[in-house]
Amino acid sequence: MTVSAWGLSDLVQLLVFCTEPRRVKVSSGDLFAGAIEELGGQLDRLEGMEWIGRGSTVEHRITRAQRAASESWFLDISGRSSPVSSLTESGRRWLELSGSERARDYLEPLRQAMTEEVDDAWGAQGLYLTQRDRLDAFRSLEGAVPMEDFFASQAQGQNPLKRSAERTRALTDEACKRLEDRWWSGLREILVDTLLPSGVVRCANEGERIMIELTPAGRWALGLVDEFEWDEGVEADAFYVQPDFEVVFLAPSPSLEAEVGRFAERQGKGVGALFRLTRSSVQAAFHGGLSAEDMLSTLTGKSSTPLPDNVAREIDSWCGACVQLTWQPTSLVRCPDAETAARVLAAGRGKLERISDTVLALVDPKKRGAVTVACKKEGVFLEGAESESKRLKSRLW
Amino acid sequence: MPRPDDPLIVQGDLTVLVEVSSPRYAEARDRLLSFAELVKSPEHVHTYRITPLSIWNARAAGCESEQILGTLEEYSRYPIPENVRAEVIEQSSRFGRLILDRVEGALRLTAASATLAEELSYGDSLQPILSERIGDRAFRIDTANRGALKQALIKLGHPVHDLAGYARGEELELELRTATLSGQPMKLRDYQRDAATAFHASGSVRGGSGVVVLPCGAGKTIVGMAAMGEVRASTLILTTGVTAVRQWIDELLDKTSLGRDEIGEYTGACKDIRPVTVSTYQMLTHRSTQDAEFTHLSLFESRDWGLIVYDEVHMLPAPVFQITASLQTRRRLGLTATLVREDGLEDDVFALIGPKCADVPWKVLEGQGWIAKAMCTEVRLPLPDDMRMDYAGAPNRSKARIAAENPGKAALVRDLLAAHPDDRALVIGTYVDQLRDLAKGLDLPLITGSTPQKKRDELYGAFREGRLRALVVSKVANFAVDLPDASLAIQVSGSFGSRQEEAQRLGRLLRPKPGENQARFYTLVSRDTKEQEFALHRQLFLCEQGYTYAIREASEVLA
């Protein structure tokens, strides 16, 4: 199985995931474990890639994607006590790009590194090289070659650390070996951390050996060609909305996924029945500010076939059934019997409302003092209310 | 590269999506049906699932793994996931590894390899069944354990290819008539003939047991009779209720050469055993106390049956499975609209009744005019103002009933009946009080569980003959009641949660109609209530089945 460019697809999946604002940790801005598990299930599986170590774990991949998203201002974190991470307008615009455009944008920093002297502070024994030096080594990759063979030939024959050191002194065998090891591990590191996730290089397991090869996009990123074709299949420009409330994608389309994900429950990734429109997803979106018209217009505009009548009606009906209420603190007066309640109600002169036979509620909290005084005149002492009022006052001052 | 014109998308979880608008849809579907089960068929994209059972069904019908993978490759838009390929090859290879046949009158189970035989010999559930090892790869099996063996092996993931054959049974002269008793021409439809032929397999040991899957209204009873005509042996027919028993008897008299004296009814009212006997699952599972023996199981041994027909096989109760396990020498035919059982015992159906031998999608039959087009409409009406407060304050369990008994429904039923004056109608509900009021208000007869069978038969007869235009019925009419001319149903209340109930209720309308061949199914629902929530389950189910579903306000419908 050939594996490549998961960093790019992880970023896309993360942005699609955050179409619905996601709670993140106050301390680090990272997603919570539940969200990581859910998103992890949607990432491409890296079969046979255990050899790259930590970089293949879901947690590491998500952290890396989060970092990339935040550096590119694709995700924004808002809220202090309960922060949420959500897609920014530029993130949405980026998702709307074609797969090839997204790849180009993602690889642009690497391509720049081939022309600019970006110091990545990497080196050994007082010899420092730029990122370009390490990238340069991969320009010589021709076709699919065994990874270990490639590293060995680079470390022994094309090693800039050795070349540099030999200019000033003769190297002992031990020093030579050290510089070869250093160059070997340096190449491996950039391969694992950058070139494989970004899709510059792809790799495949062939029996016991790992074969690596430059991709067309990689050849472009390394400045070997001026154009490249992005092999990612056909992106959908439409989906089906089925009468059973499923939204089915017959080809992948992150931008459409991001659109629909705002008001539908995700069920899968890639192609298939990716979303289900449910009452709770539609009502949550409605509460979040999307109107029924917004949802219907997204569905109508991007559906391959007319929107089923029952789906349109239900979305309208679900939004229509939403009621927004506000919690309001209130003061209650609990009376020992109905007669006392009637006396207090009369004394309150419209400032109190009957909740039950013996319980009254203060309509306007500002009238607490007036009611207390009025009741006092009737021989009813609202002591708790007075002390509560004092307590509030003392807190205010 | 993706091939956008191809209709299949094969997914790693062994589901297959089929795009209906693809030009290659029909051919892909026909080939897919032989090795995958239809899960749902909403308007645009249908979902099928490949399971071990569906693969074994295919293998039993002679379809090899190369053909399965060939079909997937030929019609798939994207490359087939490797795990799907591996699963098809693996499951496919399991069928035929174990063959049950008969040698000198005794049963012999032969494994494809000594290793497999060894593995089986250590299986806890198999040890009591595998009587004696005969050679490296074979076991002698007691005849009485034939069903139990197949049942146990399928649970272990090893389907048995049963080639042990059947008892002939008492011979029976039976022909299908060329004209019914009433003089209507009688001819098998192609799909009915094909199903009966596939079941019988020219009398060879490769046929003789299996399940025919046909949608409601497609004439499963006629397939049953055609199979009887092929087997020509005494037959025991098991169905779901007394009304269905009578329908079977009427159909047998109407469409076959059998005389009244050759057909017996074995029910609570009458225990008559004849060369063709029709009974119910309830009779067979009846016992006086929970711990007592089943009183009527001896029916299976009361004659030398050559064929047992299991009507609505998806309803087959567990005790009947048990007895069926001991009836493996009899030919067995299952009839059903769906292989999906709500209790998940599909593998028992495969092991004990037999593999699927015919499956025709209802869309095909609708397209050919053999079943009616159904239009489902949910009509929403408000709860009257004076009931809203009662409803709001009611506990959850009462809310559904308050909503269901919305008095506004009575006027709506009357108006809907008036709007479709030429349709023969059923008004269906769950709550007897509500139905009684409706029947009284509309001056229509009412059939409930307490209506005596004789009275029911009279009313059904009058309805069938057109002397009655409408009937008010409770859920007693759900199963196997043949009301050929009902083209309009108005459901005023229901449990809405049961897929079977919905399928059966709609099934009552699907038999072909003269003229536009259109059936209408209205459901009246109180708006913004629990009833509307429950109706959503029903809506989803019917849409998944592919029926057209519309939602209308009462005012729109009447306008």
Side-chain angles (χ1 to χ4, degrees):
Chain A
M1 185 178 178
T2 306
V3 180
S4 178
W6 67 83
L8 176 57
S9 72
D10 289 353
L11 176 59
V12 169
Q13 288 301 332
L14 172 72
L15 298 189
V16 172
F17 186 71
C18 289
T19 315
E20 181 190 327
R22 303 287 174 167
R23 280 193 59 208
V24 289
K25 294 175 185 168
V26 179
S27 54
S28 60
D30 289 342
L31 290 166
F32 284 97
I36 288 179
E37 194 183 337
E38 188 185 341
L39 174 58
Q42 290 163 22
L43 301 184
D44 291 338
R45 287 165 58 193
L46 300 185
E47 281 174 27
M49 293 295 291
E50 297 74 19
W51 63 272
I52 69 169
R54 206 168 67 91
S56 68
T57 64
V58 163
E59 293 76 10
H60 183 86
R61 289 169 61 188
I62 292 175
T63 307
R64 182 193 171 96
Q66 270 190 296
R67 202 167 55 232
S70 116
E71 281 166 5
S72 306
W73 197 242
F74 291 160
L75 289 179
D76 181 27
I77 294 179
S78 56
R80 273 186 171 182
S81 57
S82 182
V84 290
S85 178
S86 50
L87 191 64
T88 61
E89 197 44 47
S90 55
R92 195 176 299 284
R93 277 201 303 274
W94 190 74
L95 281 179
E96 283 167 5
L97 298 175
S98 70
S100 152
E101 287 168 329
R102 279 196 299 270
R104 205 172 285 268
D105 187 59
Y106 190 75
L107 292 172
E108 187 60 38
L110 275 179
R111 192 168 155 90
Q112 274 182 18
M114 293 304 296
T115 54
E116 293 168 10
E117 296 291 306
V118 182
D119 182 8
D120 66 351
W122 184 88
Q125 297 175 19
L127 300 166
Y128 287 92
L129 298 171
T130 63
Q131 188 181 34
R132 180 181 167 175
D133 293 316
R134 284 198 288 170
L135 292 175
D136 254 343
F138 286 88
R139 286 165 60 101
S140 62
L141 254 181
E142 283 290 339
V145 299
M147 182 175 70
E148 299 294 312
D149 293 357
F150 173 72
F151 288 157
S153 81
Q154 287 291 322
Q156 286 155 20
Q158 310 288 328
N159 189 334
L161 291 172
K162 266 168 64 178
R163 270 204 309 272
S164 217
E166 278 164 349
R167 270 189 223 126
T168 55
R169 62 184 190 278
L171 292 175
T172 62
D173 285 353
E174 190 187 340
C176 189
K177 177 76 171 57
R178 216 166 28 238
L179 289 174
E180 282 176 6
D181 289 349
R182 190 71 187 102
W183 186 235
W184 181 306
S185 67
L187 292 181
R188 188 183 189 283
E189 186 183 286
I190 200 168
L191 175 74
V192 164
D193 287 351
T194 307
L195 302 181
L196 281 171
S198 61
V200 171
V201 175
R202 60 179 160 229
C203 74
N205 293 38
E206 200 180 274
E208 295 290 299
R209 295 188 307 179
I210 293 160
M211 308 294 286
I212 56 173
E213 180 183 19
L214 280 181
T215 63
R219 296 175 65 75
W220 175 82
L222 298 184
L224 291 167
V225 291
D226 292 331
E227 273 307 322
F228 71 95
E229 280 186 22
W230 183 250
D231 178 20
E232 65 153 7
V234 182
E235 276 213 9
D237 57 0
F239 45 69
Y240 283 113
V241 182
Q242 304 236 79
D244 65 347
F245 298 86
E246 281 189 342
V247 184
V248 182
F249 285 65
L250 298 185
S253 173
S255 57
L256 289 183
E257 280 188 46
E259 284 287 298
V260 179
R262 292 186 297 165
F263 53 87
E265 262 174 34
R266 178 175 281 279
Q267 296 192 301
K269 72 179 191 80
V271 293
L274 300 194
F275 295 97
R276 181 180 277 279
L277 295 157
T278 65
R279 192 173 64 157
S280 59
S281 69
V282 165
Q283 290 186 337
F286 182 78
H287 177 63
L290 277 182
S291 65
E293 290 73 31
D294 294 334
M295 298 179 224
L296 291 173
S297 109
T298 300
L299 294 175
T300 309
K302 298 293 181 185
S303 175
S304 304
T305 48
L307 190 62
D309 170 78
N310 65 314
V311 173
R313 291 246 180 186
E314 286 292 20
I315 289 176
D316 239 352
S317 156
W318 290 333
C319 291
C322 278
V323 180
Q324 175 85 44
L325 298 176
T326 313
W327 283 102
Q328 231 170 23
T330 189
S331 297
L332 296 179
V333 181
R334 292 187 189 280
C335 306
D337 51 55
E339 190 200 331
T340 312
R343 285 173 63 199
V344 174
L345 194 63
R349 293 187 183 171
K351 298 182 187 73
L352 292 163
E353 196 175 84
R354 188 190 286 280
I355 303 292
S356 73
D357 282 354
T358 57
V359 179
L360 309 172
L362 191 64
V363 177
D364 180 355
K366 290 179 195 153
K367 307 288 185 192
R368 184 191 295 259
V371 172
T372 309
V373 171
C375 285
K376 198 173 176 182
K377 285 179 185 164
E378 298 296 322
V380 178
F381 296 93
L382 288 168
E383 289 186 339
E386 203 171 6
S387 59
E388 173 71 359
S389 159
K390 274 182 188 162
R391 197 172 63 77
L392 284 173
K393 219 176 213 177
S394 68
R395 194 195 290 166
L396 279 174
W397 289 105
Chain B
M1 284 294 285
R3 300 184 312 223
D5 288 339
D6 282 331
L8 304 189
I9 294 176
V10 184
Q11 307 196 99
D13 63 355
L14 287 123
T15 54
V16 183
L17 303 179
V18 191
E19 188 182 19
V20 176
S21 61
S22 159
R24 305 184 75 200
Y25 161 70
E27 50 181 297
R29 175 205 57 201
D30 290 348
R31 288 176 57 182
L32 191 61
L33 257 183
S34 62
F35 58 87
E37 294 301 336
L38 178 63
V39 177
K40 55 183 180 174
S41 52
E43 203 174 352
H44 308 299
V45 180
H46 296 180
T47 305
Y48 288 75
R49 186 180 294 281
I50 301 172
T51 65
L53 275 179
S54 72
I55 294 172
W56 300 335
N57 274 321
R59 290 283 284 112
C63 179
E64 302 289 335
S65 62
E66 292 78 16
Q67 288 168 270
I68 296 176
L69 291 173
T71 298
L72 293 178
E73 269 155 16
E74 186 177 344
Y75 294 100
S76 183
R77 183 171 301 191
Y78 298 103
I80 302 168
E82 283 306 315
N83 69 311
V84 174
R85 198 180 294 277
E87 181 73 2
V88 168
I89 292 170
E90 163 64 20
Q91 294 301 340
S92 191
S93 72
R94 289 184 174 218
F95 189 87
R97 279 190 206 165
L98 292 172
I99 292 176
L100 188 66
D101 57 5
R102 201 176 280 276
V103 179
E104 294 167 1
L107 286 181
R108 178 183 66 179
L109 177 73
T110 310
S113 68
T115 328
L116 177 56
E118 196 63 15
E119 184 191 330
L120 297 183
S121 68
Y122 285 104
D124 287 346
S125 56
L126 292 172
Q127 279 184 353
I129 303 173
L130 302 172
S131 310
E132 182 192 340
R133 186 88 176 248
I134 41 175
D136 277 357
R137 299 189 293 120
F139 299 89
R140 190 179 61 75
I141 308 293
D142 195 289
T143 314
N145 284 334
R146 182 170 168 183
L149 172 79
K150 292 198 288 183
Q151 210 174 3
L153 280 168
I154 209 150
K155 304 272 183 228
L156 296 173
H158 293 293
V160 177
H161 196 184
D162 185 350
L163 300 174
Y166 308 95
R168 176 73 192 89
E170 282 174 44
E171 283 201 23
L172 175 71
E173 277 305 308
L174 185 151
E175 299 278 352
L176 287 182
R177 292 176 187 273
T178 50
T180 63
L181 284 183
S182 57
Q184 298 290 318
M186 156 76 193
K187 187 170 176 282
L188 284 181
R189 298 169 191 163
D190 289 347
Y191 66 88
Q192 292 169 332
R193 184 183 308 103
D194 292 346
T197 307
F199 163 74
H200 189 237
S202 307
S204 79
V205 290
R206 292 182 182 276
S209 64
V211 178
V212 171
V213 184
L214 286 177
C216 291
K220 288 190 283 292
T221 312
I222 293 179
V223 174
M225 291 189 287
M228 290 165 69
E230 297 274 1
V231 174
R232 289 175 181 247
S234 56
T235 302
L236 174 63
I237 298 164
L238 301 174
T239 186
T240 50
V242 175
T243 306
V245 168
R246 309 263 161 85
Q247 296 294 340
W248 264 97
I249 293 173
D250 289 348
E251 288 284 292
L252 286 164
L253 290 171
D254 191 46
K255 296 185 173 66
T256 71
S257 57
L258 292 174
R260 190 66 190 86
D261 58 334
E262 292 174 290
I263 306 172
E265 172 184 326
Y266 194 91
T267 60
C270 171
K271 293 184 181 51
D272 193 12
I273 299 173
R274 300 290 174 92
V276 173
T277 299
V278 193
S279 187
T280 66
Y281 296 127
Q282 290 92 324
M283 275 305 285
L284 293 172
T285 52
H286 173 265
R287 49 184 167 181
S288 50
T289 65
Q290 207 171 2
D291 303 322
E293 295 286 306
F294 294 108
T295 321
H296 301 286
L297 280 186
S298 58
L299 177 61
F300 282 108
E301 301 301 335
S302 59
R303 277 191 105 102
D304 182 14
W305 304 116
L307 173 66
I308 301 176
V309 177
Y310 298 86
D311 193 14
E312 311 283 5
V313 76
H314 62 281
M315 307 276 292
L316 200 69
V320 180
F321 271 127
Q322 282 165 25
I323 190 74
T324 299
S326 63
L327 293 170
Q328 297 296 302
T329 54
R330 316 286 176 191
R331 284 186 164 82
R332 305 168 302 281
L333 170 65
L335 300 172
T336 185
T338 170
L339 272 179
V340 177
R341 285 181 62 102
E342 292 188 2
D343 58 10
L345 291 177
E346 291 89 348
D347 53 353
D348 278 346
V349 173
F350 178 90
L352 299 178
I353 308 293
K356 179 174 79 175
C357 48
D359 187 350
V360 188
W362 70 266
K363 267 288 177 196
V364 171
L365 298 184
E366 187 191 278
Q368 294 171 353
W370 295 123
I371 55 176
K373 294 189 197 76
M375 174 71 209
C376 305
T377 308
E378 179 179 320
V379 186
R380 293 181 180 171
L381 70 165
L383 264 184
D385 288 344
D386 59 335
M387 287 179 75
R388 285 227 63 101
M389 283 306 283
D390 289 345
Y391 175 83
N396 256 340
R397 63 180 179 282
S398 309
K399 281 187 167 164
R401 180 152 192 175
I402 294 174
E405 295 185 322
N406 181 346
K409 290 182 180 179
L412 197 49
V413 172
R414 184 185 299 278
D415 290 337
L416 285 170
L417 288 172
H420 302 291
D422 299 327
D423 285 305
R424 204 155 297 164
L426 295 174
V427 180
I428 307 170
T430 296
Y431 302 111
V432 175
D433 290 346
Q434 178 191 30
L435 294 176
R436 198 172 287 128
D437 290 348
L438 271 173
K440 193 173 168 193
L442 297 165
D443 195 20
L444 291 173
L446 167 69
I447 296 175
T448 68
S450 60
T451 308
Q453 190 63 44
K454 192 173 168 211
K455 178 75 177 165
R456 287 189 208 184
D457 290 344
E458 273 174 32
L459 290 171
Y460 286 146
F463 186 79
R464 211 175 292 124
E465 289 157 19
R467 287 181 281 120
L468 262 179
R469 191 219 146 184
L471 277 176
V472 180
V473 291
S474 74
K475 63 200 299 179
V476 294
N478 277 356
F479 295 108
V481 179
D482 189 17
L483 299 167
D485 291 323
S487 54
L488 169 66
I490 305 170
Q491 185 166 231
V492 292
S493 54
S495 54
F496 294 147
S498 163
R499 297 151 60 98
Q500 270 178 12
E501 183 174 297
E502 288 308 328
Q504 294 293 341
R505 285 186 171 180
L506 187 56
R508 302 280 67 80
L509 303 180
L510 290 179
R511 289 185 172 81
K513 314 280 178 296
E516 58 175 342
N517 199 20
Q518 175 79 56
R520 295 178 182 83
F521 192 1
Y522 289 97
T523 306
L524 313 190
V525 171
S526 294
R527 195 192 314 122
D528 301 331
T529 66
K530 281 271 166 212
E531 193 177 34
Q532 187 178 321
E533 282 177 35
F534 294 153
L536 183 60
H537 298 303
R538 171 178 185 277
Q539 183 184 159
L540 287 176
F541 171 67
L542 292 173
C543 288
E544 283 180 358
Q545 299 301 302
Y547 296 108
T548 313
Y549 198 96
I551 299 171
R552 296 284 177 267
E553 292 298 319
S555 51
E556 291 174 87
V557 172
L558 299 179

